[in-house]
Amino acid sequence: MALKLLKKLLFDRPLKNGVILNHQYKIEECLGMGGYGLVYLCTDILTQTPYVLKQLRTTKAKKEKEKVRFQQEIKLLKSIHHPQIPGFIDEFIIDGQAYYVMQFIEGENIEELLFFRKQPFTELMALQLISQLLEIIEYLHDRLIFHSDIRTPNIIINDGRLCLIDFGLAKQLTPEEMEEIKVRKQDDFFDLGETLLFLLYSQYKGKKKKNGTWLEELTLTKEVTLLLKRLLGIEEEYQHTASIREDLNWAIQSVT
């Protein structure tokens, strides 16, 4: 483990600010370092347009299966055309190192808003945001694409408009892969419920009980409670986004 960490420190250092890649993209700053990729904010020096650039880690680029995985991510992003998902822009290879460029989405992620800015969301606001997120999931699932990483850091809000980012764990399946479809579908539904729960807790002012659950701590309408229970697998799980949409509409009506 120590040797593995040392290799990452030695070979997976982020590119320096100011480096220009492919004679076009100037690195402004490193936004994050994931399990197998490094993500940067960059500027197209030809148009002065900001973009996000992703680089396969140097240590990962030495393994054929990781290179294939990175190319599959690129192929997947190229197939997605949705206004609330970053669009694919460009790809290139420099000295055997793969990169791709996508749209930069302005705004703050839900994790920042909840845990750093302490921004409260009413039940209605939370449900309306979940409605936007469900619309994105509907689009993806209709194409048998499953995100598998719908978490608060990967959901950006800009003037009330929600965007879903980071498709590093996403996968597009075939109709024949029924068992994996079932598992990945439920994973996305669970993440949707967990995101709603985080948003609803932003209004909670009580003291957290040691073994308390959200059912005891939050005062919710029966429609919102049912929606959460089914998303989280406490009651009968949803099988289709259409059923979630129906219950979500009832939940929205219950708080207006």
Side-chain angles (χ1 to χ4, degrees), residues 35-52:
Y36 81 111
L38 289 84
V39 179
Y40 305 88
L41 174 65
C42 69
T43 302
D44 183 334
I45 60 175
L46 305 178
T47 65
Q48 297 305 306
T49 305
Y51 289 119
V52 169

Side-chain angles (χ1 to χ4, degrees), residues 10 32 35 45 47 54 66-67 72 75 92 95-96 115 117-118 160 162 170 173 175 191 197 206 212 219 228 248:
L10 289 174
I45 60 175
T47 65
K54 188 167 184 178
E66 297 295 351
K67 290 193 288 185
Q72 288 174 339
K75 182 181 178 181
F92 50 90
D95 296 329
F115 301 111
R117 293 189 177 274
K118 305 296 182 183
L162 182 148
L173 301 173
D191 288 349
L197 202 53
T219 304
L228 274 169
L248 178 57

Side-chain angles (χ1 to χ4, degrees), residues 84 122-135 160 162 196 199 245 248 252 255-256:
Q84 289 164 282
T122 65
E123 272 185 276
L124 180 58
M125 290 167 63
L127 291 168
Q128 287 172 336
L129 287 172
I130 290 300
S131 181
Q132 288 191 54
L133 185 54
L134 178 59
E135 182 184 327
L162 182 148
L196 175 56
L199 290 167
R245 174 61 65 188
L248 178 57
I252 290 172
V255 301
T256 54

Side-chain angles (χ1 to χ4, degrees), residues 1-15 33-38 55 57-60 62-63 66:
M1 184 64 71
L3 182 59
K4 191 174 181 180
L5 180 60
L6 181 60
K7 282 184 178 180
K8 280 189 176 183
L9 292 173
L10 289 174
F11 300 109
D12 289 337
R13 292 178 181 175
L15 296 168
M33 300 175 67
Y36 81 111
L38 289 84
Q55 168 195 6
R57 282 181 178 271
T58 304
T59 50
K60 297 291 185 182
K62 298 180 185 298
K63 299 176 181 178
E66 297 295 351

Side-chain angles (χ1 to χ4, degrees), residues 201 208-209 211-218:
Y201 258 108
K208 290 280 289 181
K209 298 176 184 177
N211 297 310
T213 70
W214 62 271
L215 287 165
E216 300 168 302
E217 295 173 341
L218 298 179

Side-chain angles (χ1 to χ4, degrees), residues 78 93 121 145 189:
K78 283 181 176 180
I93 296 175
F121 292 86
I145 298 171
F189 291 168

Side-chain angles (χ1 to χ4, degrees), residues 147-160:
H147 189 277
S148 301
D149 198 22
I150 301 171
R151 300 181 296 115
T152 52
N154 294 334
I155 305 168
I156 293 177
I157 301 176
N158 184 6
D159 291 330

